Amino acid sequence: MNQMNGPPEERFRALHRATFADLLRFVERRVPPHEAEDIVSTVYLTAWRRFTDLPSDARPWLFAVARRTMANQTRGWLRRQALDVRLAAVETPQASDDPAARVDLQRAWQTLSAADREVLALVAFDGLTAEQAATVLGCRRSTFAMRLTRARQRLQAALEPLSPPVLRLQEQS
Amino acid sequence: MNDIMNDLARLDPARNTEPTAAQWARSENFVERTMAGSVATSTAPRRRWMTVGLATVAAGVVGAVAIPALVPGAAEKAVASWTAAPSARTGDQVMPQANVCGAGDVMGGASTKVSPSDVILAEQRGEATMMILRKANGNLVECLLVGKEMFASMGLTDGTPVKLPAAGVNLETSSSSGDGDDMWSNVVGLAAPDVTAVEVRTDKGRTFQASVRGGWWGAWWPGSEGGDATDNYTVIVHTAQGTTTHKPSELP
């Protein structure tokens, strides 16, 4: 952000205009909607305080702050339940959807750990690159790539029907 | 993205949603107030410190409502006289402050009678007294005072029994308040019985002691770290078995 021209107030307004919608969606996927705006406000307050430290690609940095803010606030709100990513309600399919496939995917999603869901959501929902998602989670890009691969494999495995019993017996012999 | 990720994207609960005009207006207004240095970050008062300061961020607390006497200048006095090492205080030693803390309406049920045993934890840093107090209705509140002037109060529990961590500490709340050079931060958590001491080290290099007593630990310090949500301080936990360090986001 420091490389942009103009007074800091103008640059901060531009940052807000460019990121608010994405940031609000990021938070709304993870906490009840009525709490999301409070968290987003906390993120922008932090961003203003740290404006000179913000990287040029500020969106992952803002998401990372939002993630920590949600984790912190969740302690009090939800009695220390883990932060998790929701899916759209199955009752609101889109016209192009195969309802059965949608239900299968929802069931598979529910079998995953919260950590796997977080990794998948950063790419599938938030549209981040592996580099950006690694920034959000505070890990290396290679670590994120490995976690994403494994999460995707577990999701795929949860979608596939069980192998026939005969086959499993053969595998055990 | 491959097929499965594309399929997943269709289940995004925020897919194709845009902020409403009202949400844009509220956020833009917030940004303007933030830049002007006159912001209260949350519209939900149950999660905020009630303070004299201008900028307030608090996370994780159960409740906070207005206190009757907000005294300008007390927070500034507290920050100016802050010390890295607190002096532990017994309930008997802080009864004047405990009476003010208990009389506040944070978490409801102003306590007309407070006894020394209601003070779970109390410390003194410079002119400031910090305490965790059990109110007559069973709710726990944290108060910060200079003399009898209370400049902040926050609800910690709603009366339900707290469960101590099996080992180490947790983090119940981390916050900051104030503005400019008068900003201050506060952290409070629960501590397992084997915890002998807790320290806080900010990424700027300041290390100081927290207070530990009655299953709780807490500290406050000048600076914004507690509310920045950027993991910019470290909690150092001492037990008989050794010392562990934790970033706030790593604590349960």
Side-chain angles (χ1 to χ4, degrees):
Chain A
M1 300 307 297
N2 297 327
Q3 293 156 1
M4 295 174 61
N5 295 323
E9 288 82 1
E10 279 307 312
R11 289 186 283 130
F12 195 63
R13 288 185 189 104
L15 171 73
H16 177 261
R17 283 193 298 271
T19 57
F20 174 62
D22 283 345
L23 182 59
L24 185 62
R25 282 191 286 265
F26 177 84
V27 174
E28 284 182 337
R29 292 179 182 108
R30 292 160 174 84
V31 299
H34 64 280
E35 310 285 9
E37 285 184 66
D38 277 357
I39 290 167
V40 169
S41 294
T42 301
V43 174
Y44 283 115
L45 178 63
T46 301
W48 176 245
R49 288 173 177 172
R50 297 304 179 93
F51 195 36
T52 55
D53 301 331
L54 256 61
S56 54
D57 184 8
R59 195 169 59 126
W61 189 95
L62 295 173
F63 285 5
V65 173
R67 188 168 175 272
R68 292 194 191 99
T69 304
M70 286 185 283
N72 199 10
Q73 297 201 357
T74 300
R75 292 187 177 98
W77 297 344
L78 304 179
R79 301 291 176 198
R80 301 170 191 81
Q81 288 179 10
L83 190 63
D84 203 352
V85 184
R86 293 178 290 115
L87 279 194
V90 74
E91 295 80 14
T92 56
Q94 299 181 11
S96 59
D97 278 353
D98 172 354
R102 186 183 177 91
V103 169
D104 287 345
L105 192 53
Q106 286 221 344
R107 285 178 180 157
W109 176 266
Q110 294 306 325
T111 67
L112 300 179
S113 67
D116 277 352
R117 290 198 283 259
E118 171 86 278
V119 167
L120 292 167
L122 289 172
V123 175
F125 297 172
D126 300 304
L128 299 180
T129 65
E131 187 82 39
Q132 292 170 323
T135 299
V136 175
L137 297 182
C139 64
R140 292 190 301 179
R141 185 193 177 284
S142 58
T143 303
F144 178 81
M146 182 183 66
R147 289 176 59 183
L148 177 63
T149 298
R150 291 176 178 171
R152 199 154 41 192
Q153 287 170 344
R154 282 189 277 266
L155 180 64
Q156 187 69 57
L159 277 168
E160 290 169 356
L162 288 173
S163 304
V166 173
L167 179 60
R168 281 188 288 165
L169 284 172
Q170 287 173 343
E171 286 173 344
Q172 290 168 2
S173 60
Chain B
M1 286 193 290
N2 63 10
D3 286 348
I4 196 170
M5 298 299 276
N6 284 326
D7 290 343
L8 198 54
R10 283 197 281 273
L11 293 178
D12 178 2
R15 184 177 171 86
N16 299 325
T17 62
E18 290 293 331
T20 65
Q23 285 174 318
W24 272 108
R26 281 194 295 270
S27 193
E28 287 168 348
N29 181 266
F30 176 85
V31 164
E32 293 300 323
R33 288 186 290 122
T34 295
M35 293 190 296
S38 59
V39 72
T41 58
S42 172
T43 55
R46 68 187 177 87
R47 288 191 303 280
R48 287 210 304 266
W49 278 106
M50 295 311 299
T51 66
V52 182
L54 294 176
T56 302
V57 179
V61 295
V62 170
V65 294
I67 57 174
L70 297 173
V71 183
E76 288 78 1
K77 289 179 190 172
V79 168
S81 63
W82 182 84
T83 59
S87 301
R89 291 286 187 262
T90 65
D92 286 317
Q93 292 173 313
V94 294
M95 281 310 292
Q97 292 89 346
N99 284 323
V100 175
C101 181
D105 57 3
V106 169
M107 299 304 290
S111 301
T112 54
K113 293 185 71 173
V114 174
S115 69
S117 62
D118 294 327
V119 178
I120 295 171
L121 177 154
E123 63 156 49
Q124 191 76 26
R125 293 179 197 263
E127 293 190 56
T129 305
M130 187 267 276
M131 70 171 61
I132 296 175
L133 178 81
R134 180 179 292 105
K135 300 186 75 169
N137 61 10
N139 295 338
L140 299 189
V141 294
E142 182 193 7
C143 296
L144 280 160
L145 310 95
V146 170
K148 292 185 181 179
E149 299 174 350
M150 183 159 67
F151 61 92
S153 185
M154 176 191 289
L156 294 175
T157 76
D158 56 4
T160 53
V162 295
K163 185 179 179 184
L164 298 184
V169 303
N170 78 359
L171 183 60
E172 289 289 311
T173 181
S174 180
S175 62
S176 65
S177 184
D179 193 35
D181 292 339
D182 293 321
M183 288 199 71
W184 51 273
S185 294
N186 173 259
V187 292
V188 175
L190 293 162
D194 66 338
V195 174
T196 55
V198 177
E199 294 174 285
V200 175
R201 181 178 64 233
T202 69
D203 286 1
K204 292 179 180 175
R206 172 183 273 165
T207 301
F208 50 92
Q209 295 175 32
S211 293
V212 184
R213 187 164 178 252
W216 290 84
W217 70 277
W220 74 275
W221 69 95
S224 67
E225 290 90 349
D228 282 349
T230 51
D231 256 1
N232 52 4
Y233 65 91
T234 301
V235 178
I236 305 166
V237 181
H238 301 277
T239 68
Q241 287 72 45
T243 298
T244 56
T245 61
H246 314 268
K247 284 295 186 181
S249 63
E250 298 167 348
L251 287 172

